[in-house]
Amino acid sequence: MSDALENLLSETRRFAPPAGLAEHANVTSDAQPADRLAFWETQARRLTWAREWDTTLDWSNPPFAKWFVGGQLNVAYNCLDRHVAAGLGDRVAIHWEGEPGDTRTITYAELLTEVKRAANALTGLGVGQGDRVAIYMPMIPEAAVAMLATARIGATHSVVFGGFSVDALSGRIADADAKLVITADGGYRRGAPSALKPTVDEAVKLCPSVEKVLVVRRTGEDVAWTGKDLWWHETVTPASDEHEAQAFDAENPLFILYTSGTTAKPKGILHTTGGYLTQASYTHHAVFDLKPETDVYWCTADIGWVTGHSYIVYGPLSNGATQVMYEGTPDTPHRGRFWEIVEKYKVTILYTAPTAIRTFMKWGDDIPAGFDLSSLRLLGSVGEPINPEAWIWYREHIGRGECPIVDTWWQTETGAIMISPLPGVTHTKPGSAMSPLPGISADVVDDTGKSVPNGGGGYLVLREPWPSMLRTIWGDDQRFLDTYWSRFDTMYFAGDGAKRDEDGNIWLLGRVDDVMLVSGHNISTTEVESALVSHPDVAEAAVVGATDPTTGQAIVAFVILRGGVDGDTEALRGHVAKTLGPICKPRQILIVPELPKTRSGKIMRRLLRDVAENRTLGDVTTLQDQSIMNLITAGLKSGTSAED
Ligand code: ATP
Ligand code: MG
C-alpha cells in the first residue's frame, strides 16, 4: 500500500449507552489523561505490590520497554490470595461447563488451594524462576490452574492451543526450551473424546529439553505411558496446599504466546508481569464494566489464544470476577448451546468473536430466540473487524436491542485491549472500535507517518509505549525490530489498516497486507466484505485482490450465504457497486460452503489470494481445516462464479 486507504463505507446509526449503565459505570470519561504515566501508575495501584516501583517507564532503549522498574509482585497472589484474604473465598471464580454436560463450581478459595498444590508440585519437579512450561490443554479448569501455578513460582508459560498438530506443538516446545509439559489425556469436542496425549508423546520425542509431562485425566480414555509421564491426580492432588507466594520483578517473563498465523508464520510474543497485569486488569474493569459482586462474565475464547490469557485468566481473576468456562463447541449437542449456557448461568457479560457471530447469523435467528437471554447487559467482540450488519444482528438477536456492544481492537502483541468503546460513555457506531482507551495513544497515519485527517484512511500505529506491550519476539529481537518498529521510526506498526471518520472515530479495515490496489485506489477488504454482508442473502464474505491485466488488481469475493437462500452473484456484485461505488464491484464472486480460517477462527485471506492467483499455498500450519481449501479450489475450477 503506498497511498492512503480509501474511506468508502458510511454509517449513520448511533447507539447511546443505556442510562442505567452510564449512571453506575466503572469509567465515566473517555478523555485522555494529561499525564499518561501518572494514569498508569494509578491503574497499577489497583494491584497489590510487594514492593513499589522506582520508575514507571524506562524507555531509554526503545523499543525495549521496561514498566514499573524495581516493582515486585506475584501474579497469582493478585488473582487469588488477595481476594480470599479480603473474605471473598466463597465467591465462585469458575462455573465450568463440560461439553458432555458435566459441571464444576470452583470458588476462589478452592482455586487458590489447587494453585498452591500445583505450585508445590511444579517446584518438586524442579521447575522454578527462569524455566518454561508448555501447556497443551482442553478448556478445563486445570488449564487455568497450570497457568497460575507457573506464574506463582515465577516461571514462564507457553500455552499451545489444543487443536495444534505434533509439528506446531513440538516447534513451540523447542522454541521455548520447555522443561515441563502440562497436558490432559484429552478433552471433549463435538460430542466425542478428542485425545491430546498421543500428540504430546510424539512432540516430546522431538524435544530433548522436556524432563516431565504432567497429565490431567479428563476423558478417562486409555493412554500410552512413558517414563516422563506423571498423573496430575497423583502429583498435584497429594501435594501440600501450603504455599506462600514470593514476589517477582515486574519485568519477570510471564508468558510466551504465538500469534494466530493469519498473515504469516506465527510469532512467539513475550509478555512480562507488572505492566501486563496492570493493563489486563484495568481494561477488563473499564471495558466490561465488571461488577464483581453481581456480574456473571463469559469469554468464549480458548485459553490457547491471547484473549483467553487476558480475559479468562488474568483480567477477570485479578478483578475477582465470577465467570463461565465452557469446554466444547457451540453446536454440541445442538446449535443453541451457547444460549442455553447464558440462560443456565444467567450470564450478564458475553465476549465472543465475529466468526462466531456470523456463524450464528448463518444458523438463523430462531435459535437464540428459543432461550431466555434477558440476563445479558453487555456484549463484546474481538478478533476481526465486525461488519456493521453482524454488529446489528448481535445487538438485536443476542442483546435484545438493548445491550451495548464493545468492539475491542487489540493483538497478541498488545497484551490487552487498546481501542474500544467505554460502555457507560461511548455512543457506539456499528462496525467501529471508536477510540483509544485512556492511556493509549493510537493513531492512523499515512505513508510518511503523518496523522491522516478525519475522513482519511491509512496505517494504524501506536505512538507511545503501553504497559502490556510485548517486550520482544522470543529469541528473535531482530524479527521484533523488523516486524513492528522498522516501518516507522519511533512508532509501533500494528500491521492493520484503519480510517478515522468525520467525528475522529477509528474503524479497523483489515490487514495492510490484504489491501487491494484497484485502478490506483487502495481498497480495504473490510469495507467490501461489509458491503457484501449488508446484503440479506450473505452471512460471511472474504475478498482478495487478484492480479488483473487491466486494473492492476481485481476484487475476487468468496461468499457464504445465509441458511436457505440461493444467492444471485450478479445481484451481489451490483449491491457492492451500489453501496461503495463501481470501482469496488467484484470481478468474480464465488459461493463457498466455508472459508479458510485459522484455528482461532480468523479468515486467512492470503490463502484465498493464493487460490485466486493459482499459486501454491503459503504456510498452512495454522489452518483449521485443510479440506476447505480443496472445496474452494474445486469450486473455482468448476466455474461457479460470475464474471463480466
Ligand atoms: P498473525 O500476526 O500471526 O498474522 P493475527 O494477527 O491474527 O496473526 P492475533 O494477535 O490473534 O494474531 O490477532 C490480532 C489481529 O486481529 C489484529 O492485528 C487485527 O487484525 C485483528 N483484530 C483483533 N480485534 C479486532 C477488532 N476488534 N477489529 C478489527 N480487527 C481486529
Ligand atoms: Mg498479527
Side-chain angles (χ1 to χ4, degrees), residues 27 43 53 158 167 180 194 204 240 288 316 358 396 449 613 642:
V27 177
Q43 305 320 323
W53 53 93
S158 171
D167 282 352
L180 174 72
S194 164
V204 166
S240 160
F288 299 104
R358 293 185 304 245
E396 292 299 320
E613 298 196 326

Side-chain angles (χ1 to χ4, degrees), residues 453-603:
N454 285 356
Y459 303 92
L460 183 70
V461 296
L462 301 166
R463 288 192 176 276
E464 300 290 343
W466 63 100
S468 64
M469 68 193 284
L470 75 168
R471 297 308 193 253
T472 189
I473 293 179
W474 179 254
D476 199 347
D477 286 349
Q478 194 56 48
R479 194 177 176 202
F480 171 59
L481 296 169
D482 294 345
T483 309
Y484 309 107
W485 303 97
S486 65
R487 188 77 181 68
F488 301 104
D489 258 1
T490 55
M491 299 186 291
Y492 173 88
F493 170 55
D496 286 331
K499 71 178 183 188
R500 216 200 310 264
D501 68 17
E502 295 304 337
D503 305 319
N505 296 129
I506 294 177
W507 298 69
L508 275 302
L509 295 182
R511 314 304 175 117
V512 166
D513 293 357
D514 292 335
V515 167
M516 305 173 290
L517 185 59
V518 182
S519 305
H521 297 268
N522 284 304
I523 297 174
S524 84
T525 50
T526 302
E527 293 201 311
V528 180
E529 289 164 6
S530 289
L532 283 161
V533 176
S534 75
H535 190 282
D537 289 355
V538 177
E540 185 157 31
V543 303
V544 298
T547 310
D548 185 88
T550 46
T551 55
Q553 283 190 322
I555 300 177
V556 177
F558 300 79
V559 164
I560 301 179
L561 298 174
R562 291 217 200 191
V565 300
D566 275 337
D568 169 355
T569 51
E570 264 318 298
L572 294 180
R573 292 176 71 221
H575 177 75
V576 175
K578 203 172 106 221
T579 312
L580 300 179
I583 188 98
C584 297
K585 186 175 190 177
R587 178 183 77 188
Q588 206 176 355
I589 293 187
L590 282 105
I591 307 293
V592 292
E594 244 316 330
L595 291 166
K597 290 185 180 161
T598 63
R599 285 160 212 266
S600 59
K602 299 175 196 229
I603 300 170

